Amino acid sequence: MVDEKQFFSDMANILACPAEQINAKTKMLDLVDNSFTLVELIIEMQELYGISFGQIELKTVENVGQLQELFNID
Amino acid sequence: MNINENIRWLLSFYRTSEISGALFFGQLARSMKPGIIQHNMTQQFADEAQHSRYWADCLQQLDMKPIKLERSYQDYYLKAAGLPSNLMEVLAITHVFELRVFEQYSHHKKIITQPKIVLQTLDTIIGEEVWHLKWVRKALKDMEAEYGVNEVQSTIKRFMQADRDAYLKVTDEYQDRIDSMMLTA
């Protein structure tokens, strides 16, 4: 089972940024410099966790905490 | 409006759209892990870049300078469709976009009187577009096992609706130009 710390660390690896920069309240748009980086991040995270969701579910995600919920991370 | 000015505008629009297509698919290719889909997507964005060069060459041969256009069809389309969030959506958006390109170029070919070089360029590009449609359709079919037929079909349907919305937004401007060329022919 992946915990929150591991989740933040995986995100940081993909984005090549310090893990300390990421917490549940971090806004997604503050983490990515353009919308295609967001596509890269989301696709890589889905592959890493073996989870699939689409545009419709992602529409409501504004911060990392809401993304965690999509991935079922406590 | 002057017929030559309409041709110039339209070919410039195609040129800009092909550049945007190359950038769009290039960024999508980067989001994928290595494999056959990324390989094909890489070929596709290289083709789009090449198509842009064909239109630039075509304009040059017609002794016309390209017009710098601020917006391409992709801009309208992405605004209406939103960015894809998984590999199947990437392919669905690619499929719908390629269908639109194919239809637009095929529609343009129906103009009876137009410079030979334009027809030659359209034929070259349409020939390459057929492969784009083919590989994406096959990849989407293969994904039905993972995502389910209904999910794949409903995603395509959703992006097609976005495509129609985007097309309506640009139709007024470029359809008038095509129509005027057809009336002149």
Side-chain angles (χ1 to χ4, degrees), chain A residues 52-67:
Chain A
S52 181
F53 53 80
Q55 211 181 36
I56 293 169
E57 293 100 311
L58 197 66
K59 228 171 206 171
T60 53
V61 171
E62 286 178 2
N63 59 38
V64 174
Q66 289 163 332
L67 188 67

Side-chain angles (χ1 to χ4, degrees), chain B residues 37-159:
Chain B
I37 292 179
Q38 193 199 41
H39 183 89
N40 286 340
M41 189 64 91
T42 305
Q43 174 68 56
Q44 178 154 341
F45 80 73
D47 287 348
E48 309 287 351
Q50 191 78 318
H51 295 173
S52 164
R53 192 178 67 85
Y54 295 161
W55 286 124
D57 289 347
C58 181
L59 279 154
Q60 199 172 35
Q61 290 196 49
L62 292 169
D63 208 18
M64 292 173 176
K65 282 192 175 159
I67 303 166
K68 180 171 166 49
L69 299 170
E70 293 306 321
R71 287 177 47 100
S72 67
Y73 171 68
Q74 282 86 342
D75 296 323
Y76 294 101
Y77 182 43
L78 278 179
K79 203 172 175 193
L83 284 165
S85 303
N86 60 45
L87 196 52
M88 186 271 288
E89 288 181 350
V90 166
L91 291 170
I93 208 168
T94 305
H95 174 64
V96 172
F97 174 71
E98 285 302 320
L99 274 178
R100 171 61 64 201
V101 172
F102 188 81
E103 277 174 19
Q104 178 57 39
Y105 285 159
S106 301
H107 180 57
H108 189 156
K109 265 194 78 178
K110 289 179 191 156
I111 298 171
I112 302 159
T113 305
Q114 59 179 319
K116 199 177 167 191
I117 184 66
V118 174
L119 275 176
Q120 285 170 345
T121 307
L122 283 168
D123 281 339
T124 305
I125 295 177
I126 287 172
E128 293 180 5
E129 295 293 348
V130 169
W131 178 77
H132 296 170
L133 284 166
K134 216 169 158 182
W135 85 259
V136 178
R137 203 159 38 214
K138 186 188 176 309
L140 270 170
K141 189 83 194 149
D142 292 346
M143 284 201 167
E144 286 178 358
E146 186 183 343
Y147 289 87
V149 180
N150 289 346
E151 180 65 16
V152 172
Q153 293 306 320
S154 68
T155 303
I156 292 173
K157 208 172 157 188
R158 186 157 46 87
F159 286 143

Side-chain angles (χ1 to χ4, degrees), chain B residues 143-185:
Chain B
M143 284 201 167
E144 286 178 358
E146 186 183 343
Y147 289 87
V149 180
N150 289 346
E151 180 65 16
V152 172
Q153 293 306 320
S154 68
T155 303
I156 292 173
K157 208 172 157 188
R158 186 157 46 87
F159 286 143
M160 276 190 159
Q161 183 57 52
D163 169 71
R164 271 191 288 275
D165 293 345
Y167 189 68
L168 283 174
K169 282 206 168 71
V170 287
T171 294
D172 284 348
E173 191 163 8
Y174 75 74
Q175 202 59 57
D176 283 355
R177 290 176 189 268
I178 287 191
D179 287 347
S180 81
M181 282 190 266
M182 283 184 154
L183 288 171
T184 313

Side-chain angles (χ1 to χ4, degrees), chain A residues 33-44 46-47 51-59, chain B residues 23-24 27-28 30-33 78 81-87 89-90 93 146-147 158-159:
Chain A
D33 52 8
N34 67 64
S35 46
F36 276 96
T37 310
L38 186 61
V39 176
E40 274 186 73
L41 171 72
I42 298 301
I43 290 180
E44 279 204 44
Q46 287 183 68
E47 283 179 0
I51 289 174
S52 181
F53 53 80
Q55 211 181 36
I56 293 169
E57 293 100 311
L58 197 66
K59 228 171 206 171
Chain B
L23 292 169
F24 176 63
Q27 284 170 307
L28 288 183
R30 207 179 63 168
S31 71
M32 296 169 183
K33 65 181 176 189
L78 278 179
L83 284 165
S85 303
N86 60 45
L87 196 52
E89 288 181 350
V90 166
I93 208 168
E146 186 183 343
Y147 289 87
R158 186 157 46 87
F159 286 143

